[in-house]
């Protein structure tokens, strides 16, 4: 099941204050990106909006009632604490949603830089033809 166009449009409206946002597919959901490759938000096929988080921002999300992204595996449920649900109070409030998004951009930049470094490292290891 994919993210519905209505849910995607709503999320894009919520975060419009950030400026240009790129949308990319992620598993059965969507990722929202700023600065080309900085994924600050994930939307699940069920319509839940998750924000990028880290050890410094996670407690702020928890205090606001957010929960980590959770999925099931054969070995049990797995929580991904680097993705926290957008607090309920921000789901229909673009000003508050943008505040949470700005908080998420820091951890998202760090994750994007790690991916860039890893990609460059792998490319450097490939034999040249």
């Amino acid at each position: 099941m994919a993210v519905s166009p209505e849910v995607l449009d709503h999320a894009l409206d919520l975060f419009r204050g950030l400026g240009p946002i790129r949308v990319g597919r992620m598993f059965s959901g969507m990722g929202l990106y700023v600065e080309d490759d900085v994924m600050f938000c994930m939307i699940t096929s069920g319509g839940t909006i998750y924000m990028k988080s880290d050890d410094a921002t996670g407690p702020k999300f928890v205090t606001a009632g957010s929960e980590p992204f959770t999925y099931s595996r054969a070995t049990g449920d797995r929580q991904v604490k680097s993705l926290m649900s957008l607090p309920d109070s921000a789901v229909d409030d673009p000003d508050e949603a943008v505040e949470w998004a700005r908080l998420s951009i820091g951890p998202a930049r760090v994750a994007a830089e790690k991916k860039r470094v890893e990609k460059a490292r792998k490319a450097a290891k490939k034999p040249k033809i």
Side-chain angles (χ1 to χ4, degrees), residues 1-13:
M1 182 165 100
V3 174
S4 75
E6 295 82 16
V7 169
L8 179 58
D9 287 345
H10 178 68
L12 291 171
D13 284 342

Side-chain angles (χ1 to χ4, degrees), residues 68-85:
F69 173 65
T70 303
Y71 64 94
S72 297
R73 298 183 67 155
T75 57
D77 287 349
R78 178 157 189 258
Q79 287 188 343
V80 180
K81 293 183 180 179
S82 63
L83 289 168
M84 298 295 290
S85 61

Side-chain angles (χ1 to χ4, degrees), residues 3-129:
V3 174
S4 75
E6 295 82 16
V7 169
L8 179 58
D9 287 345
H10 178 68
L12 291 171
D13 284 342
L14 280 176
F15 301 121
R16 188 169 312 285
L18 293 175
I21 296 173
R22 181 175 68 82
V23 178
R25 292 182 187 221
M26 266 186 90
F27 311 106
S28 62
M30 305 295 278
L32 301 184
Y33 299 79
V34 293
E35 301 167 12
D36 189 44
D37 66 344
V38 177
M39 189 198 80
F40 71 95
C41 173
M42 177 185 84
I43 307 168
T44 65
S45 59
T48 303
I49 298 172
Y50 288 93
M51 309 302 294
K52 193 72 174 161
S53 151
D54 62 12
D55 290 342
T57 61
K60 294 175 185 176
F61 280 99
V62 170
T63 299
S66 298
E67 295 183 5
F69 173 65
T70 303
Y71 64 94
S72 297
R73 298 183 67 155
T75 57
D77 287 349
R78 178 157 189 258
Q79 287 188 343
V80 180
K81 293 183 180 179
S82 63
L83 289 168
M84 298 295 290
S85 61
L86 181 65
D88 288 343
S89 59
V91 170
D92 290 315
D93 183 343
D95 292 332
E96 185 179 349
V98 166
E99 287 179 33
W100 287 107
R102 287 192 175 119
L103 185 68
S104 294
I105 289 174
R109 284 181 178 137
V110 171
E113 180 59 24
K114 285 180 184 178
K115 286 183 181 181
R116 284 185 222 119
V117 167
E118 183 62 21
K119 187 176 181 179
R121 186 183 65 75
K122 286 181 180 179
K125 285 187 174 183
K126 283 187 179 179
K128 303 213 190 264
I129 300 176

